[in-house]
Amino acid sequence: MLRSYVFYEDKYAWIEETNLLLHDICAFLDDENKIIYIWKGPKGSKRKFKNGYNSVENLISNYPDSTFQLKVLKKEIPEEIHIKINTMLESVRKGEEKGKLLFSRLITIKLFFTFSMISVILPIFLILNLYSSLFWHISGNICKVSASIYDYMMMFSRTIVIITLIILGINVTIGIFEQEHQVIIFNISGFIICIGIFLFLNQGIFLFKFQEGSTLTNYLILKKDVLIFLISNLIAILLFEIPNLYKFITFLKTYGKFIF
């Protein structure tokens, strides 16, 4: 029976696995022929391979009576192991065929999942916060809002945008590290749009032309101006929210088994 173990460098341990990533170091245990084969993925680091190889050597040396041989898989790979590797890499190959994400490291998969989920959720909070203006007091074609509520809405919106900018920047860095062009393009686009939204919202009280009767504590704004403001922001947000949501869903479908 052929068993497969993936080397986890952070734990300095071999764990039995049924799936492989391109950066993995894998040991195939052939009990029948008393051979341990070591395989290095095309994106696996030399340091990680050396550590994995040394750990197997040390393990064998601890058992003087062991008859197991240690072999490194290079160009010539036994047919049984070749089939096993292809089977374990099946999910990654499907991702390549469908043009999905091809992250090579487990840590970046988990990081991108976390930050991508946050970057999808934050714009929803931004939309909800901005659309709270629909609950302002309306009389005819005039909206009335207190200065404190108005200032809080703008401050909270700008804060959300700033956090979103940071998250998108992290996602761009991950995309560059993994050379994932779609991640880079989507998040850079979102970054640029968010800068525009922030500069727009940063105008504060100058966003609207307050109507006659406005005071320092209460603002009167045309309902038409509020609707234009909301529609403009919604379009801008959706321009980067929809692509990022699409990327998050396809990423989850491809790599969900490695995350949970």
Side-chain angles (χ1 to χ4, degrees):
M1 180 181 176
L2 194 64
R3 289 181 288 176
S4 54
Y5 300 83
V6 171
F7 181 64
Y8 286 83
E9 195 172 20
D10 56 336
K11 301 176 182 177
Y12 207 79
W14 293 90
I15 298 176
E16 190 166 5
E17 296 281 6
T18 57
N19 293 298
L20 277 177
L21 291 176
L22 298 177
H23 75 284
D24 282 336
I25 308 300
C26 188
F28 296 94
L29 180 62
D30 187 345
D31 286 318
E32 184 178 346
N33 296 309
K34 301 297 181 182
I35 301 174
I36 299 175
Y37 297 96
I38 305 293
W39 175 84
K40 182 172 82 71
K43 292 189 178 182
S45 69
K46 291 181 180 179
R47 186 198 71 254
K48 186 176 181 180
F49 173 77
K50 184 179 179 180
N51 289 336
Y53 185 89
N54 289 340
S55 71
V56 176
E57 270 194 329
N58 293 334
L59 184 64
I60 293 175
S61 65
N62 288 332
Y63 297 92
D65 298 331
S66 174
T67 57
F68 275 95
Q69 301 178 50
L70 185 58
K71 291 186 178 181
V72 177
L73 294 172
K74 295 181 178 179
K75 291 184 179 180
E76 295 183 3
I77 301 176
E79 183 65 23
E80 182 184 6
I81 296 179
H82 184 72
I83 294 172
K84 181 80 171 178
I85 292 172
N86 285 337
T87 301
M88 294 176 73
L89 286 172
E90 186 177 356
S91 61
V92 176
R93 296 187 189 282
K94 285 181 179 179
E96 286 179 328
E97 292 170 1
K98 296 179 181 179
K100 294 182 180 178
L101 301 175
L102 285 174
F103 280 60
S104 62
R105 293 166 176 81
L106 189 61
I107 183 65
T108 50
I109 288 175
K110 291 183 177 180
L111 283 175
F112 182 75
F113 167 74
T114 301
F115 290 117
S116 182
M117 180 171 61
I118 296 172
S119 71
V120 168
I121 293 173
L122 284 176
I124 296 174
F125 281 110
L126 178 59
I127 291 171
L128 292 175
N129 183 58
L130 293 174
Y131 272 72
S132 66
S133 58
L134 293 176
F135 296 96
W136 293 348
H137 178 74
I138 299 175
S139 178
N141 64 340
I142 298 293
C143 294
K144 181 180 179 181
V145 59
S146 69
S148 59
I149 291 177
Y150 181 89
D151 291 340
Y152 177 81
M153 185 186 80
M154 293 301 167
M155 181 195 69
F156 189 60
S157 295
R158 289 193 298 267
T159 301
I160 293 175
V161 174
I162 290 172
I163 297 173
T164 304
L165 281 169
I166 295 171
I167 299 299
L168 292 174
I170 293 172
N171 284 344
V172 169
T173 303
I174 294 173
I176 293 173
F177 182 77
E178 288 288 358
Q179 298 182 2
E180 221 298 349
H181 298 140
Q182 205 171 65
V183 169
I184 296 170
I185 293 171
F186 285 173
N187 285 276
I188 285 180
S189 299
F191 192 88
I192 294 171
I193 293 171
C194 280
I195 289 176
I197 293 173
F198 178 80
L199 294 175
F200 181 59
L201 296 176
N202 205 40
Q203 294 180 69
I205 60 174
F206 299 105
L207 275 169
F208 300 100
K209 181 181 179 181
F210 296 150
Q211 301 301 298
E212 187 178 348
S214 296
T215 66
L216 293 175
T217 56
N218 289 287
Y219 303 146
L220 301 179
I221 307 169
L222 283 176
K223 184 169 68 175
K224 179 185 69 174
D225 291 346
V226 174
L227 292 176
I228 293 174
F229 167 78
L230 293 176
I231 293 171
S232 301
N233 278 282
L234 180 62
I235 292 173
I237 293 168
L238 291 180
L239 282 176
F240 73 90
E241 173 73 350
I242 292 174
N244 280 341
L245 179 60
Y246 161 78
K247 175 55 67 176
F248 177 72
I249 292 172
T250 56
F251 176 86
L252 196 57
K253 287 181 178 179
T254 305
Y255 290 110
K257 64 181 72 177
F258 300 110
I259 297 169
F260 304 108

